[in-house]
């Protein structure tokens, strides 16, 4: 079965410093992986997605993630945090099996705080 | 370009009442989904639909009913609301069952 583990429930960084949000996945086949962001009292917004075309995926707002099959990881990074990046981030794997509809399996989320 | 909308955005209802949450998308996406988001549980799938008139259960379907007579609409009904159904409900749609696009959510309180 597919699963995803976000290794930190809360990450705090200073504005202008790098961001690293860690995610490990478990999948019995080549997975589709996503990062979503949720700002307070808002819906979820797709940041980026990996679907095997390239291992380094660039997303919106300067975020990127690298798919590492050997480490079963899909960590999210950004070189320089901005105050507006403060939100909750979800790592997601697609439950895509031979007979499935491709449902999404969500991690528990990582809350990112950005200090001035 | 409305995208995906949910109504109402906020709802307070009493235990035992029936309540329907609406979801509408303008993209003609095939797939639509309903999730609930609760502290400590993250997002959990309630029901999903691969096309009009095709629906299937997700992880937590008990107490909920869905229908999809038109591609663009996917209402979620709580037949007899319980306090445990107090939550934030998100609707999502997807063109191919891959990445999903979420609505703004409905905050439901059952008293």
């Amino acid at each position: 079965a597919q699963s995803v583990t976000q290794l930190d429930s809360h990450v705090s960084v200073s504005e202008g410093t790098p961001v690293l949000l860690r995610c490990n996945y478990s999948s019995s086949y080549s997975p589709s992986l996503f990062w979503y962001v949720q700002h307070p009292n808002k819906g979820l917004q797709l940041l980026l997605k990996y679907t095997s075309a390239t291992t380094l995926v660039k997303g919106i707002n300067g975020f990127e993630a690298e798919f590492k099959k050997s480490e079963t990881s899909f960590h999210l990074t950004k070189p320089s945090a901005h105050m507006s990046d403060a939100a909750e981030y979800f790592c997601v794997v697609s439950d895509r099996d031979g007979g499935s509809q491709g449902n999404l399996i969500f991690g528990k989320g990582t809350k990112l705080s950005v200090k001035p | 370009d409305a995208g995906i909308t949910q109504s109402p955005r906020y709802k307070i209802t009493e235990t035992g009442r029936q309540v329907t949450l609406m979801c509408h998308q303008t993209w003609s996406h095939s797939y639509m989904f309903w999730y609930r988001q609760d502290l400590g549980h993250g997002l959990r799938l309630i029901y999903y639909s691969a096309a009009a008139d095709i629906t299937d259960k997700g992880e937590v379907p008990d107490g909920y009913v869905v229908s999809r007579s038109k591609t663009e609409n996917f209402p979620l009904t709580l037949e007899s609301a319980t306090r445990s159904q107090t939550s934030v409900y998100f609707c999502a749609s997807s063109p191919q069952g891959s990445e999903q696009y979420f609505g703004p959510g409905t905050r439901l309180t059952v008293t």
Side-chain angles (χ1 to χ4, degrees):
Chain A
Q2 288 65 247
S3 66
V4 61
T5 302
Q6 293 184 243
L7 299 168
D8 306 292
S9 59
H10 190 199
V11 170
S12 181
V13 301
S14 297
E15 191 175 22
T17 64
V19 175
L20 170 63
L21 305 183
R22 299 183 295 164
C23 173
N24 287 116
Y25 69 90
S26 172
S27 178
S28 55
Y29 44 80
S30 182
S32 294
L33 292 159
F34 311 86
W35 276 98
Y36 282 83
V37 60
Q38 184 179 29
H39 287 93
N41 300 312
K42 300 287 187 184
L44 281 79
Q45 181 184 17
L46 180 66
L47 268 181
L48 51 82
K49 65 176 180 178
Y50 165 78
T51 54
S52 79
T54 175
T55 56
L56 183 61
V57 183
K58 294 189 184 298
I60 61 172
N61 300 333
F63 284 95
E64 61 182 38
E66 186 172 8
F67 173 73
K68 292 187 177 181
K69 186 175 181 179
S70 61
E71 299 176 11
T72 61
S73 69
F74 190 56
H75 301 335
L76 182 70
T77 61
K78 182 173 181 177
S80 176
H82 192 273
M83 295 297 292
S84 61
D85 295 328
E88 188 151 23
Y89 292 79
F90 293 93
C91 183
V92 183
V93 63
S94 175
D95 178 17
R96 188 174 289 279
D97 200 350
S100 84
Q101 301 285 353
N103 297 325
L104 299 185
I105 310 298
F106 286 79
K108 296 294 187 188
T110 297
K111 186 173 183 179
L112 176 66
S113 299
V114 182
K115 297 174 289 187
Chain B
D1 184 5
I4 183 166
T5 57
Q6 294 183 235
S7 61
R9 294 294 314 280
Y10 302 90
K11 177 74 177 178
I12 300 174
T13 192
E14 295 177 343
T15 300
R17 288 191 179 265
Q18 183 181 80
V19 60
T20 296
L21 310 183
M22 304 301 293
C23 178
H24 176 78
Q25 53 108 353
T26 60
W27 294 309
S28 299
H29 285 171
S30 298
Y31 289 86
M32 295 188 75
F33 306 81
W34 273 107
Y35 294 88
R36 59 179 292 173
Q37 184 177 34
D38 305 286
L39 279 173
H41 291 281
L43 275 88
R44 293 181 291 175
L45 182 65
I46 304 171
Y47 268 96
Y48 65 97
S49 169
D53 297 323
I54 300 174
T55 63
D56 208 346
K57 296 177 180 179
E59 181 185 353
V60 289
D62 293 343
Y64 303 96
V65 175
V66 294
S67 62
R68 195 162 176 214
S69 57
K70 294 184 177 181
T71 299
E72 60 266 31
N73 296 324
F74 191 38
L76 176 74
T77 297
L78 288 67
E79 293 190 301
S80 178
T82 65
R83 290 200 180 95
S84 65
Q85 293 177 308
T86 292
S87 186
V88 181
Y89 290 85
F90 288 100
C91 178
S93 70
S94 174
Q96 298 169 336
S98 181
E99 72 269 22
Q100 296 178 17
Y101 299 90
F102 285 79
T106 294
R107 186 174 294 273
L108 176 68
T109 301
V110 182
T111 61

